[in-house]
Structures are given as structure tokens and as C-alpha cells.
């Protein structure tokens, strides 16, 4: 084995130990709820908790709404900027990166200030209005990831040629977007969607300050009051992350296979 291969494998081994050992320790601790033996009692306790089902289902619904609304907003925007207004790309990229430097607590306090009960648009007066604010907050936080994923996918296709071909066949702008552009950037949309889902499900600050029954505040509550359930929840969240990564890879391969077949 050459020195280069040795150091490469050593780096891989160190990285594996760095990530796997804490994960294994968390898994091991989550199974020690029953004294003297390993068991899945902590996981049973989590899944039998009614608040787990309520908060997780609420966050999933909010995440799915955020993904749909975000895709309908970002894909046409990225398409129009790339096709008609390429000179605005630096401005749009700068705006989409702002959520990375503006804390979530600043965004949510801005919402509370603008849309409180004494404002012109008092969204916080009702559950529906507050849910809308929460969706807007999730969209803002996921904007850098969704836009980058869609824009990267859009770079792999010739937007101008697709548009001209569709227009020559009499297609409307709606048809072009939903039958030409969306299918070709599906990988980017799904990549951004999975990241958005992870953000929406795990977010604590926004749902907590908006007083929404979301999964993030539930995780914080369990972590402050119980010992074995928090690591069990951490392992569940880790499994969800890996499932999302696997789904992204499967979708990418299927789309590449379909493109190769064409």
C-alpha cells in the first residue's frame, strides 16, 4: 500500500470513528431504559405518546405545504430569471442567501410585529393565519437550499431551446412550466424538497414563538424532562434523514435512467 492510499484510508477511518462512535453510543443509551438489559422500551414510549403523533403529523403537513408552495414559487422564478433576466441573477442569489445570515428568531419577531392583532393584516388572530405565517417562515428558511437545488438542475438543460420548441408547437406558459420545465428539474425540486422537509420537521424557534403544536418544540420538551426518550427520538430523526438521502439517490438514478432511455 502506497503512502497516499494509507493516509486516505486513515482519513476515512478517523472520519468513520468520529461519526459512528457517538451514533453507536446514542443508540446504546436509548436501549437502556429497562434496568439490566437492552430493550426498545424508550422507542415504544415515544410511539405510544399521543403528542408524538400529533406534533409529528402537524409538522409533516406544514412541511408538505411548504414544499408545494415553495416549488410553485421558486421554479418559475429561476426559470424566468435564467430565460429573460439573466442580469438579475446576482440579485436573486443574494436575496436567496439572506436567510443564512438572518436568524430565525429575527424573522419570526418581524412576523409578530407586522401581523399581530393590531395590524392591518392580523394573521396571528386565528390558527389558520398563524399556520400561514409558519409556512412562510419555513419557506424563507429553506429558500437557499431549494433555490440552489432548482437552479443547479436548470443549468443542465437548455431552457431557451425547450421554450422555443414548446412555443412553436403552440404551448402556453403554463404548459411550458408544468410539462417541459418541471419534469426536467424534478431531481433538483426533490433534493430541495427533502431538505425543506428536514428543516420544517426539526425547526424549534418559529413554531415555538408562534405557539404551534410542532415537532421541534416537542423534541425540546422531551429532552428537558426525560432521559431515554430523547436519544430514541434522535435515532428516529437520524433514520428519517437517511431515508431522505436514499430517496434522493433513487430518484436521481431513475431520472438519469429515463433520460438515457430517451
Amino acid at each position: 500500500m502506497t503512502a497516499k492510499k494509507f493516509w486516505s484510508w486513515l482519513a476515512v477511518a478517523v472520519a468513520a470513528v468520529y461519526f459512528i462512535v457517538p451514533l453507536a453510543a446514542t443508540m446504546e443509551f436509548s436501549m437502556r431504559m429497562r434496568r439490566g438489559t437492552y430493550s426498545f422500551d424508550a422507542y415504544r414510549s415515544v410511539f405510544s405518546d399521543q403528542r408524538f403523533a400529533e406534533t409529528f403529523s402537524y409538522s409533516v403537513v406544514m412541511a408538505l405545504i411548504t414544499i408545494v408552495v415553495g416549488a410553485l414559487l421558486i421554479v418559475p422564478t429561476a426559470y424566468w430569471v435564467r430565460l429573460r433576466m439573466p442580469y438579475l441573477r446576482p440579485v436573486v442569489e443574494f436575496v436567496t442567501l439572506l436567510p443564512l445570515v438572518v436568524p430565525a428568531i429575527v424573522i419570526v419577531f418581524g412576523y409578530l410585529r407586522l401581523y399581530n392583532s393590531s395590524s392591518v393584516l392580523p394573521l396571528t388572530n386565528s390558527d389558520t393565519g398563524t399556520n400561514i405565517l409558519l409556512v412562510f417562515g419555513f419557506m424563507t428558511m429553506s429558500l437557499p437550499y431549494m433555490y440552489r437545488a432548482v437552479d443547479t438542475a436548470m443549468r443542465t438543460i437548455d431552457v431557451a431551446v425547450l421554450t422555443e420548441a414548446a412555443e412553436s408547437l403552440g404551448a402556453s406558459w403554463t404548459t411550458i412550466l408544468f410539462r417541459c420545465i418541471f419534469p426536467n428539474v424534478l431531481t433538483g425540486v426533490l433534493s430541495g424538497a427533502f431538505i425543506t422537509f428536514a428543516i420544517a420537521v426539526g425547526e424549534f424557534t418559529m413554531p415555538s414563538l408562534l405557539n404551534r403544536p410542532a415537532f421541534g418544540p416537542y423534541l425540546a420538551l422531551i429532552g428537558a424532562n426525560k432521559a431515554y426518550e430523547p436519544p430514541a427520538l434522535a435515532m428516529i430523526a437520524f433514520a428519517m434523514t437517511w431515508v431522505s438521502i436514499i430517496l434522493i439517490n433513487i430518484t436521481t438514478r431513475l431520472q438519469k435512467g429515463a433520460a438515457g432511455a430517451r
Side-chain angles (χ1 to χ4, degrees):
M1 180 182 293
T2 64
K4 185 177 180 180
K5 287 185 176 180
F6 171 77
W7 289 110
S8 298
W9 280 108
L10 180 62
V12 171
V14 171
V17 170
Y18 180 80
F19 287 106
I20 293 175
V21 170
L23 186 65
T26 302
M27 180 69 181
E28 192 268 345
F29 184 77
S30 70
M31 300 177 66
R32 297 181 64 178
M33 189 173 183
R34 188 182 303 176
R35 187 180 298 275
T37 183
Y38 290 118
S39 69
F40 290 97
D41 290 351
Y43 296 87
R44 295 191 189 96
S45 175
V46 168
F47 287 120
S48 63
D49 189 354
Q50 185 178 359
R51 292 176 300 171
F52 172 81
E54 292 174 351
T55 57
F56 185 73
S57 60
Y58 175 85
S59 291
V60 167
V61 171
M62 292 294 103
L64 293 177
I65 295 173
T66 303
I67 290 168
V68 172
V69 177
L72 292 177
L73 175 67
I74 291 172
V75 173
T77 301
Y79 165 71
W80 193 252
V81 169
R82 180 166 291 274
L83 181 67
R84 300 296 186 190
M85 297 182 292
Y87 56 88
L88 286 180
R89 284 193 63 193
V91 178
V92 175
E93 289 181 356
F94 174 77
V95 172
T96 57
L97 290 175
L98 282 177
L100 295 177
V101 296
V102 179
I105 192 169
V106 174
I107 298 173
V108 73
F109 268 117
Y111 287 163
L112 292 173
R113 177 68 175 172
L114 288 174
Y115 304 110
N116 58 35
S117 57
S118 60
S119 67
V120 179
L121 191 60
L123 292 178
T124 57
N125 277 359
S126 64
D127 289 340
T128 302
T130 309
N131 289 336
I132 292 173
L133 282 181
L134 186 60
V135 169
F136 286 164
F138 288 159
M139 284 178 56
T140 302
M141 295 185 63
S142 63
L143 187 60
Y145 312 101
M146 178 69 87
Y147 181 82
R148 288 286 175 176
V150 171
D151 187 60
T152 301
M154 205 164 287
R155 290 180 185 179
T156 62
I157 63 176
D158 196 329
V159 173
V161 171
L162 280 175
T163 303
E164 290 173 2
E167 286 179 335
S168 67
L169 296 173
S172 63
W173 283 105
T174 304
T175 303
I176 293 172
L177 275 174
F178 287 98
R179 301 193 63 178
C180 297
I181 303 302
F182 264 98
N184 282 284
V185 298
L186 181 61
T187 302
V189 172
L190 289 176
S191 298
F194 287 124
I195 297 175
T196 301
F197 182 85
I199 291 173
V201 171
E203 173 60 21
F204 167 78
T205 304
M206 286 193 173
S208 177
L209 293 177
L210 291 174
N211 195 26
R212 294 290 85 200
F215 192 57
Y218 169 76
L219 289 175
L221 179 64
I222 293 298
N225 294 280
K226 295 187 178 182
Y228 298 100
E229 285 82 352
L233 284 169
M235 296 306 301
I236 294 170
F238 179 78
M240 290 172 54
T241 302
W242 272 101
V243 168
S244 298
I245 293 173
I246 293 170
L247 289 176
I248 291 174
N249 290 331
I250 291 174
T251 304
T252 303
R253 290 182 180 181
L254 289 176
Q255 190 175 28
K256 286 182 179 179
R262 291 197 296 267

